[in-house]
Amino acid sequence: MFADLKSASIEVWEHRELLEQLTRRDIKLRYKQAAMGFLWAVFMPCLIVLSGLIVRYAMAQISGATLRPSDIANIAVKGVGWAFFVGALGFATASLVGNANLVTKIYFPREVLPLSSVGAQSFDSSIGIITLVIILPFLGVRIHPSLAWVPLLLLLLVLFTTGVSLFLSCANLFFRDVKYIVQVVLMFGIFFTPIFFEPAMLGPKGAYLAMLNPLTGILEGLRLSVVEGHNLLEPLTVVVKGVPRVAWDPWELAYSAVISVAGVIGSAVMFRRLQHLFAEYV
Amino acid sequence: MSDVAISMDEVWKKFRRGERHDSLRDLVPAVARRILHGAPPADQLEAGDFWALRDVSFDVKRGDALGIIGHNGAGKSTLLKILTRLLRPTLGSYVTHGRIGALIEVTAGFHTDLTGRENIYLNGSIIGMKRKDIEKRFDAIVEFSGIGEFIDTPVKRYSSGMNARLGFSIAAHLEPEILIVDEVLSVGDYTFQGKCIRWMQDLLQNGTTVIFVSHNMDAVLSLCNSALLLDRGKVLAKGELNKVVAEYYNSGGRWKPELLAEPRVTTVEFSSSIGSELVVAPGARVVFRHTFEAKANSELTPGFFVNRGGKTVLDTTYARMLGHSLRINAGETASVEWSMAFNLPAGVYEIGYHVGEWGGGYHDYKSRGIIVTVADDPRVKGESFVDLRLEERRHNGRVLESVRADPGILR
């Protein structure tokens, strides 16, 4: 296992210029001959925020609460993160099959193909993040010391996404229906990930179930540290209708971190062990 | 540093015919079967499996040029894919010493929406060049390709020749220690092909090891110093260039994958301006006729070739009847008559003939149909024959005599 990881990291490092070129290619192709241009990068997060607001508005109508500007901020922060995850997986899943002409003709570490999809999506999402940085102050978000958590959370998000990307690109090469399964799962995934809502809204048991999703810890962590200014090392309870409920547990972060790191390692080892079959099966 | 660049040791490669299970739905029963019956051993064939390579061993010394030849489906591409690490052998092992550069489908890394300039950087890094190397050689690449002012045009607007030339030029600047070339010389026009050959000869002179796969025996004979003949995955011959190439021609008729019309040459006739003698004067007009039949209705491509001492002097294999088609019904016979000026120097020539099916694999083949001797000609000695005549002789500007030689050649 260590040998696989070692050879993978050495080869990818040796081919870092190729990774850069492929990432540039993916970015260029998204914006070449595209009517929306850079607006595309913020299009999906905008749609997520808009649908989140509709859901929250409907919930507010029933519960009698009112929508606050911080609600928009909450959804926007998690929405950008979710858009990154969905976008990267969409491109990464097809990355090996879509580059079959390369996979069957030229040798290079195949990891760079899904990695470049994640890289290109990171570029898109950084436009989304810059947009957020400009907008958030208008929604009442202030600078807190808890912002120091953001780099770690972003790193975990990229790690988790990379792990899933490596796994799915490889799976889709062997089984072409993986692409469709991923499409369907991502379409409904937004309801299984707390984007439009917070885990605490699901009740005590529901909150813990939602936390089984590794993205919950990362995205909720981002929301709490950016919008609420909460230190993630401390638990947080919110009172809903007079009953205290768990809104954050530091173990959630540890859980997401372990899953992300283990996921990347596991997928990378699997990818490495199977890649000699790629040219034959693609 | 050892002086062996590539060493292949008893390499076998198994492939599967037809479809594999490639959706998750098919995986479950396949896995269940595997658990119940156990995985099959690597050295045995299951139903639908076949060996694409069987027990292939060879060594290439540093600085040598090995030509790999064989008819379609012989396993040449599989062998190259193993050498370039795209496939892993089922059994056996191989070692390579030195940085490998492969010229196999040189435009594979291109993206049609990107410009020539962008594709040079992209494709260059895909085939393993460093960014600063690409920058350093950028002008040379553009120069070699002859793309010129179109370098900032998306390659989707290039002609296929321009595309291939650009791809080749990028690959040509990789400077590998071992170069693997697969039929790329067929790209571009004659000027460009000449450029490519000169470039490969330069590489060889600088000590690069070359593995060259081609159907073009002339190119193999002029570039390589040894050859390897593959036939249905097996090494049929290896070593001395001329012998292996001759073996390639001899093995042609034995290759019978799917028999359909099975065209067959029945008779062969030869005549020259001096009758049916098998000794002719250089430059004599000769006529060569062959008759054939087929078991089923088919379209045939007859042809002939001339060998001398194991080397191909000329080959009409791909003449495709010079643009004419030849249809034949089952049981019928047809014949083709070729005529040419036998502009060859004195020597013994073997005229071989073949007839194949349009697009089919089968062809009937004989490499020594007729042995023709070209007699000595007092006018010219050397490698080729030219119809040399002395037309006029002058002395101090004064015409001494005007000669109109009549070599007795039928025109």
Side-chain angles (χ1 to χ4, degrees), chain A residues 112-124:
Chain A
V112 297
L113 288 171
L115 288 181
S116 72
S117 301
V118 176
Q121 187 59 44
S122 305
F123 174 82
D124 271 14

Side-chain angles (χ1 to χ4, degrees), chain A residues 14 17-18 21 28-29 32-33 101-105 107 110 174-177 276 279-281, chain B residues 13 20 22-24 27 81 84-86 88 105 108-109 111 118 122 125-126 130-131 156:
Chain A
E14 279 171 355
E17 286 182 356
L18 171 61
Q21 285 293 333
K28 272 184 200 156
L29 291 177
K32 249 184 196 187
Q33 288 200 354
N101 56 334
L102 290 184
V103 173
T104 55
K105 298 282 155 39
Y107 181 81
R110 276 71 176 88
F174 292 104
F175 307 107
R176 293 298 154 80
D177 42 357
H276 72 274
E280 220 170 305
Y281 280 78
Chain B
K13 179 68 193 174
R20 296 166 189 276
D22 56 0
S23 72
L24 280 174
L27 175 70
K81 285 191 170 178
T84 50
R85 294 177 68 188
L86 291 168
R88 192 179 279 188
E105 278 207 35
H111 199 289
E118 290 166 329
L122 176 64
S125 49
I126 287 173
K130 297 273 170 239
R131 183 184 196 48
K156 64 182 167 192

Side-chain angles (χ1 to χ4, degrees), chain A residues 9-84:
Chain A
S9 27
I10 289 176
E11 274 206 75
V12 171
W13 176 250
E14 279 171 355
H15 288 78
R16 59 190 183 279
E17 286 182 356
L18 171 61
L19 179 58
E20 184 202 317
Q21 285 293 333
L22 286 171
T23 308
R24 274 167 186 269
R25 176 192 74 169
D26 287 355
I27 294 169
K28 272 184 200 156
L29 291 177
R30 280 187 206 188
Y31 296 105
K32 249 184 196 187
Q33 288 200 354
M36 286 181 62
F38 282 85
L39 280 179
W40 174 247
V42 287
F43 179 63
M44 182 149 153
C46 283
L47 270 188
I48 293 177
V49 172
L50 211 62
S51 13
L53 283 178
I54 293 171
V55 172
R56 289 298 273 271
Y57 180 75
M59 282 155 73
Q61 287 294 307
I62 294 166
S63 64
T66 46
L67 274 181
R68 292 162 298 150
S70 69
D71 287 335
I72 305 178
N74 281 336
I75 299 169
V77 168
K78 292 190 286 186
V80 168
W82 176 252
F84 168 74

Side-chain angles (χ1 to χ4, degrees), chain A:
Chain A
M1 189 180 110
F2 280 111
D4 291 318
L5 277 182
K6 196 178 156 194
S7 75
S9 27
I10 289 176
E11 274 206 75
V12 171
W13 176 250
E14 279 171 355
H15 288 78
R16 59 190 183 279
E17 286 182 356
L18 171 61
L19 179 58
E20 184 202 317
Q21 285 293 333
L22 286 171
T23 308
R24 274 167 186 269
R25 176 192 74 169
D26 287 355
I27 294 169
K28 272 184 200 156
L29 291 177
R30 280 187 206 188
Y31 296 105
K32 249 184 196 187
Q33 288 200 354
M36 286 181 62
F38 282 85
L39 280 179
W40 174 247
V42 287
F43 179 63
M44 182 149 153
C46 283
L47 270 188
I48 293 177
V49 172
L50 211 62
S51 13
L53 283 178
I54 293 171
V55 172
R56 289 298 273 271
Y57 180 75
M59 282 155 73
Q61 287 294 307
I62 294 166
S63 64
T66 46
L67 274 181
R68 292 162 298 150
S70 69
D71 287 335
I72 305 178
N74 281 336
I75 299 169
V77 168
K78 292 190 286 186
V80 168
W82 176 252
F84 168 74
F85 182 71
V86 173
L89 285 200
F91 286 105
T93 305
S95 64
L96 290 178
V97 174
N99 287 297
N101 56 334
L102 290 184
V103 173
T104 55
K105 298 282 155 39
I106 303 160
Y107 181 81
F108 53 85
R110 276 71 176 88
E111 284 92 348
V112 297
L113 288 171
L115 288 181
S116 72
S117 301
V118 176
Q121 187 59 44
S122 305
F123 174 82
D124 271 14
S125 290
S126 45
I127 298 176
I129 290 175
I130 292 168
T131 317
L132 265 188
V133 169
I134 297 167
I135 291 175
L136 284 182
F138 296 100
L139 297 171
V141 174
R142 297 286 164 262
I143 293 172
H144 301 286
S146 64
L147 283 177
W149 285 99
V150 172
L152 174 74
L153 292 162
L154 289 182
L155 176 72
L156 286 182
L157 179 62
V158 172
L159 277 183
F160 181 70
T161 309
T162 305
V164 182
S165 295
L166 285 172
F167 177 81
L168 289 178
S169 61
C170 187
N172 187 52
L173 185 138
F174 292 104
F175 307 107
R176 293 298 154 80
D177 42 357
V178 166
K179 187 171 59 200
Y180 305 112
I181 299 171
V182 170
Q183 269 172 16
V184 174
V185 169
L186 287 183
M187 192 191 294
F188 294 103
I190 200 158
F191 297 106
F192 296 92
T193 313
I195 313 291
F196 298 157
F197 54 88
E198 276 115 49
M201 294 178 184
L202 297 174
K205 276 185 190 147
Y208 278 104
L209 272 180
M211 285 172 194
L212 282 180
N213 180 345
L215 278 175
T216 304
I218 298 170
L219 296 181
E220 274 297 298
L222 274 175
R223 175 184 80 87
L224 289 170
S225 55
V226 173
V227 184
E228 310 280 348
H230 179 72
N231 178 7
L232 299 186
L233 285 180
E234 283 161 21
L236 181 71
T237 34
V238 286
V239 180
V240 182
K241 288 183 185 164
V243 186
R245 283 181 184 172
V246 181
W248 175 255
D249 188 331
W251 284 109
E252 217 177 313
L253 185 63
Y255 169 77
S256 296
V258 168
I259 297 270
S260 303
V261 172
V264 160
I265 293 175
S267 311
V269 170
M270 181 198 81
F271 196 99
R272 192 86 318 226
R273 288 193 182 170
L274 289 174
Q275 74 164 338
H276 72 274
L277 297 172
F278 286 2
E280 220 170 305
Y281 280 78
V282 71

Side-chain angles (χ1 to χ4, degrees), chain B residues 285-312:
Chain B
R285 196 85 195 162
V286 301
V287 176
F288 176 75
R289 179 209 300 268
H290 56 172
T291 311
F292 28 80
E293 56 184 31
K295 279 188 180 172
N297 300 350
S298 52
E299 186 162 356
L300 303 178
T301 58
F304 69 95
F305 52 89
V306 179
N307 282 356
R308 183 192 181 188
K311 277 197 180 187
T312 306

Side-chain angles (χ1 to χ4, degrees), chain B residues 94-342:
Chain B
Y94 70 100
V95 276
T96 55
H97 301 281
R99 195 174 59 251
I100 293 185
L103 261 63
I104 304 170
E105 278 207 35
V106 285
T107 58
F110 278 11
H111 199 289
T112 51
D113 282 338
L114 300 179
T115 66
R117 182 185 300 275
E118 290 166 329
N119 269 311
I120 289 180
Y121 281 97
L122 176 64
N123 206 38
S125 49
I126 287 173
I127 61 175
M129 287 166 89
K130 297 273 170 239
R131 183 184 196 48
K132 60 175 194 299
D133 294 335
I134 304 174
E135 270 161 12
K136 204 162 64 194
R137 293 169 202 158
F138 187 86
D139 293 333
I141 293 172
V142 178
E143 168 77 33
F144 193 84
S145 70
I147 297 294
E149 64 204 81
F150 296 104
I151 196 64
D152 288 311
T153 308
V155 298
K156 64 182 167 192
R157 313 223 189 282
Y158 283 16
S159 70
S160 53
M162 283 165 81
N163 237 322
R165 261 152 46 206
L166 184 61
F168 185 87
S169 306
I170 300 168
H173 289 79
L174 177 62
E175 297 184 3
E177 285 157 324
I178 301 171
L179 178 73
I180 296 179
V181 186
D182 188 5
E183 283 293 6
V184 282
L185 294 178
S186 52
V187 308
D189 53 17
Y190 281 98
T191 346
F192 191 73
Q193 283 186 22
K195 247 186 197 177
C196 298
I197 301 248
R198 274 197 301 283
W199 167 75
M200 297 224 321
Q201 281 164 343
D202 283 351
L203 278 186
L204 276 169
Q205 250 154 31
N206 295 334
T208 309
T209 312
V210 173
I211 304 277
F212 183 52
V213 169
S214 182
H215 287 288
N216 180 347
M217 291 304 128
D218 286 340
V220 171
L221 286 168
S222 63
L223 275 171
C224 303
N225 52 15
S226 68
L228 178 87
L229 173 63
L230 285 177
D231 183 44
R232 281 163 292 174
K234 267 198 201 130
V235 178
L236 209 59
K238 63 179 168 184
E240 204 186 312
L241 195 57
N242 287 342
K243 280 187 186 159
V244 179
V245 171
E247 192 61 31
Y248 167 79
Y249 282 116
N250 281 327
S251 70
R254 267 185 267 149
W255 188 61
K256 301 175 184 176
E258 254 69 51
L259 306 183
L260 294 162
E262 289 190 34
R264 204 167 59 79
V265 177
T266 50
T267 62
V268 186
E269 290 162 59
F270 174 84
S271 61
S272 69
S273 48
I274 49 169
S276 58
E277 283 293 320
L278 292 179
V279 180
V280 298
R285 196 85 195 162
V286 301
V287 176
F288 176 75
R289 179 209 300 268
H290 56 172
T291 311
F292 28 80
E293 56 184 31
K295 279 188 180 172
N297 300 350
S298 52
E299 186 162 356
L300 303 178
T301 58
F304 69 95
F305 52 89
V306 179
N307 282 356
R308 183 192 181 188
K311 277 197 180 187
T312 306
V313 177
L314 64 100
D315 186 354
T316 68
T317 303
Y318 300 107
R320 298 277 188 229
M321 287 286 294
L322 305 172
H324 300 279
S325 71
L326 184 77
R327 297 222 163 87
I328 182 170
N329 291 325
E332 288 179 355
T333 60
S335 68
V336 173
E337 192 172 287
W338 310 91
S339 105
M340 61 184 153
F342 221 59

